[in-house]
């Protein structure tokens, strides 16, 4: 179950399963609580969509202050709509430039590192191994979902960290819903090798169009990977239907901001988690 919460005037959602883990901090943020204007109103966390840089920087400051996490401890990927998974070791330097961040998922057991997924229709997905204290954040649009990125993340956690799928918890945040996600034939065809495609890809109203249920497709991958149904939480919220609360790429016609979704293993004491050589705005 997802709940609406508010921290220092920043509204956000939490999954009850993850919220019950005292070693975690997490939030699926909305578009509310920031200072950006017009198409980016208001908590736009992306420097790359045409918003005023000083507004985005203020938004990052507000988020960091509200959750008590230093701004440089948030890590955002480039999100290139493929299936690459960045594994971050518990200590040491792991990237020095923007080019090193062309991935769509992060897996780590590093504490104090808030791994982030920016969204405006794609599905943000978190996976947690409470036994080994390993966390994952996944960006799943249709391309990543067709490439089975959620299943690959679970497999990596099994292989590299010894995670037991039956002990994992997962949460699927707000994304474009089946109600609004019409895709064309090439996108639908990308799922031809998915044996349960009928569960998440339904005929559309128009010829050669399909309605894709991103959340259901990823839930299926997580379940087939061995995560029990009770361990998989989903918000059930559609970003297109709920543009009052969320940025939506399709709903806006293309010019809009990005909400942030983050997951972190709490550590003590709070140390600098990143080694960033560049200006902050170039890595967010
Ligand atoms: Zn909808």
């Amino acid at each position: 179950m997802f709940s609406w919460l508010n921290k220092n005037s920043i509204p956000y959602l939490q999954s009850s399963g993850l919220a019950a883990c005292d070693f975690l901090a997490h939030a699926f943020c909305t578009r509310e609580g920031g200072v950006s204007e017009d198409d980016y109103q208001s908590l736009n966390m992306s420097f790359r969509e045409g918003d005023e840089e000083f507004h985005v920087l203020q938004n990052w400051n507000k988020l960091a202050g509200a959750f008590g996490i230093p701004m440089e401890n948030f890590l955002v990927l480039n999100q290139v709509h493929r299936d690459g998974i960045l594994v971050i070791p518990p200590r040491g330097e792991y990237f020095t430039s923007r080019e090193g961040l062309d991935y769509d998922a992060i897996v780590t057991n590093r504490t104090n590192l808030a791994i982030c997924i920016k969204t405006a229709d794609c599905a943000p997905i978190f996976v947690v191994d409470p036994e080994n204290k390993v966390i994952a954040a996944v960006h799943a649009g249709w391309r990543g979902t067709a490439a089975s990125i959620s299943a690959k993340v679970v497999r990596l956690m099994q292989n590299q960290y010894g995670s037991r799928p039956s002990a994992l918890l997962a949460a699927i945040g707000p994304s474009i819903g089946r109600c609004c996600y019409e895709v064309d034939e090439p996108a639908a065809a990308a799922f031809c090798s998915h044996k349960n495609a009928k569960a998440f890809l339904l005929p559309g109203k128009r010829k050669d169009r399909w309605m894709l249920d991103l959340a259901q497709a990823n839930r299926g991958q997580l379940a087939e990977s061995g995560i029990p149904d009770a361990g998989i939480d989903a918000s059930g919220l559609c970003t297109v239907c709920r543009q009052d609360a969320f940025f939506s790429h399709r709903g806006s016609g293309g010019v809009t901001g990005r909400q942030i979704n983050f997951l972190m293993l709490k550590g003590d004491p709070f140390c600098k988690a990143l080694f960033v050589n560049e200006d902050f705005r170039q890595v967010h």
Side-chain angles (χ1 to χ4, degrees):
M1 206 177 78
F2 272 64
S3 309
W4 290 94
L5 298 156
N6 193 302
K7 218 171 199 127
N8 302 322
S9 61
I10 294 198
Y12 62 103
L13 286 153
Q14 275 200 331
S15 152
S16 55
L18 271 52
C21 299
D22 60 3
F23 58 90
L24 291 178
H26 85 282
F28 295 90
C29 290
T30 73
R31 69 184 296 167
E32 298 172 90
V35 300
S36 295
E37 296 168 352
D38 304 325
D39 293 331
Y40 307 100
Q41 196 176 35
S42 64
L43 193 66
N44 168 41
M45 305 305 276
S46 175
F47 289 100
R48 302 168 154 210
E49 307 303 327
D51 192 5
E52 300 281 358
E53 281 197 357
F54 72 102
H55 281 159
V56 184
L57 203 53
Q58 276 184 69
N59 289 339
W60 273 103
N61 259 313
K62 282 194 78 167
L63 181 87
F67 287 90
I69 300 169
M71 201 154 73
E72 64 269 23
N73 287 31
F74 289 88
L75 175 64
V76 182
L77 298 172
N78 286 344
Q79 300 184 186
V80 290
H81 290 281
R82 293 199 288 265
D83 61 352
I85 305 168
L86 176 63
V87 176
I88 302 173
R91 275 172 293 281
E93 189 169 357
Y94 58 89
F95 78 91
T96 53
S97 71
R98 190 73 243 175
E99 289 79 62
L101 291 170
D102 281 354
Y103 294 92
D104 286 275
I106 314 176
V107 179
T108 191
N109 55 1
R110 181 177 294 224
T111 56
N112 294 329
L113 179 65
I115 54 179
C116 299
I117 300 296
K118 280 183 298 191
T119 53
D121 288 345
C122 290
I125 301 168
F126 296 154
V127 184
V128 173
D129 175 351
E131 294 178 332
N132 297 295
K133 303 270 199 307
V134 180
I135 57 172
V138 183
H139 165 246
W142 73 261
R143 285 188 178 82
T145 303
S148 300
I149 191 167
S150 290
K152 286 173 181 168
V153 162
V154 174
R155 201 175 310 141
L156 185 147
M157 291 171 79
Q158 284 179 271
N159 294 340
Q160 293 203 22
Y161 296 92
S163 298
R164 295 188 306 127
S166 61
L168 298 180
L169 299 170
I172 304 169
S175 67
I176 186 169
R178 192 177 71 186
C179 41
C180 295
Y181 200 13
E182 186 186 71
V183 298
D184 59 12
E185 189 65 29
F191 290 91
C192 64
S193 66
H194 290 240
K195 61 180 190 294
N196 294 325
K198 277 189 181 145
F200 57 80
L201 197 57
L202 302 164
K205 289 199 186 85
R206 297 194 291 165
K207 188 174 177 292
D208 296 330
R209 293 290 190 277
W210 301 79
M211 303 309 287
L212 175 59
D213 189 333
L214 274 182
Q216 183 58 37
N218 284 282
R219 175 185 273 276
Q221 287 180 28
L222 297 167
E224 283 162 29
S225 301
I227 305 182
D229 253 355
I232 307 172
D233 203 359
S235 78
L237 292 164
C238 170
T239 46
V240 177
C241 292
R242 291 297 310 275
Q243 288 176 72
D244 58 314
F246 302 104
F247 293 113
S248 166
H249 184 263
R250 184 166 290 201
S252 69
V255 180
T256 193
R258 296 290 180 273
Q259 50 252 349
I260 205 76
N261 310 275
F262 74 83
L263 173 65
M264 188 186 83
L265 286 170
K266 289 182 192 168
D268 190 45
F270 228 121
C271 59
K272 190 175 175 187
L274 300 179
F275 296 87
V276 182
N277 292 341
E278 299 179 51
D279 189 285
F280 177 83
R281 73 200 68 197
Q282 290 181 273
V283 297
H284 280 76

PDB file of all heavy atoms in Angstrom, residues 177 179-180 238 240-241, ligand 1:
ATOM      1  N   GLY A 177      -0.464   5.034 -16.818  1.00  0.00           N
ATOM      2  CA  GLY A 177      -1.265   3.833 -16.586  1.00  0.00           C
ATOM      3  C   GLY A 177      -1.773   3.223 -17.882  1.00  0.00           C
ATOM      4  O   GLY A 177      -1.701   3.827 -18.961  1.00  0.00           O
ATOM      5  N   CYS A 179      -4.658   2.982 -18.702  1.00  0.00           N
ATOM      6  CA  CYS A 179      -5.743   3.857 -19.162  1.00  0.00           C
ATOM      7  C   CYS A 179      -5.271   4.841 -20.230  1.00  0.00           C
ATOM      8  O   CYS A 179      -6.044   5.281 -21.082  1.00  0.00           O
ATOM      9  CB  CYS A 179      -6.309   4.631 -17.969  1.00  0.00           C
ATOM     10  SG  CYS A 179      -5.037   5.224 -16.811  1.00  0.00           S
ATOM     11  N   CYS A 180      -3.976   5.221 -20.178  1.00  0.00           N
ATOM     12  CA  CYS A 180      -3.486   6.324 -21.007  1.00  0.00           C
ATOM     13  C   CYS A 180      -2.300   5.966 -21.897  1.00  0.00           C
ATOM     14  O   CYS A 180      -1.874   6.795 -22.698  1.00  0.00           O
ATOM     15  CB  CYS A 180      -3.052   7.484 -20.108  1.00  0.00           C
ATOM     16  SG  CYS A 180      -4.417   8.208 -19.185  1.00  0.00           S
ATOM     17  N   CYS A 238      -1.793   6.928 -12.039  1.00  0.00           N
ATOM     18  CA  CYS A 238      -1.411   7.228 -13.424  1.00  0.00           C
ATOM     19  C   CYS A 238      -0.953   8.689 -13.517  1.00  0.00           C
ATOM     20  O   CYS A 238      -1.681   9.605 -13.123  1.00  0.00           O
ATOM     21  CB  CYS A 238      -2.587   6.988 -14.357  1.00  0.00           C
ATOM     22  SG  CYS A 238      -2.311   7.607 -16.036  1.00  0.00           S
ATOM     23  N   VAL A 240      -0.560  10.523 -16.134  1.00  0.00           N
ATOM     24  CA  VAL A 240      -1.322  11.326 -17.105  1.00  0.00           C
ATOM     25  C   VAL A 240      -2.649  11.771 -16.479  1.00  0.00           C
ATOM     26  O   VAL A 240      -3.030  12.942 -16.560  1.00  0.00           O
ATOM     27  CB  VAL A 240      -1.583  10.537 -18.404  1.00  0.00           C
ATOM     28  CG1 VAL A 240      -2.434  11.354 -19.373  1.00  0.00           C
ATOM     29  CG2 VAL A 240      -0.267  10.150 -19.058  1.00  0.00           C
ATOM     30  N   CYS A 241      -3.331  10.838 -15.828  1.00  0.00           N
ATOM     31  CA  CYS A 241      -4.611  11.166 -15.178  1.00  0.00           C
ATOM     32  C   CYS A 241      -4.411  12.141 -14.017  1.00  0.00           C
ATOM     33  O   CYS A 241      -5.310  12.897 -13.685  1.00  0.00           O
ATOM     34  CB  CYS A 241      -5.281   9.900 -14.649  1.00  0.00           C
ATOM     35  SG  CYS A 241      -5.859   8.771 -15.920  1.00  0.00           S
TER      36      CYS A 241
HETATM   37 ZN1  LIG B   1      -4.393   7.421 -17.002  1.00  0.00          ZN
END
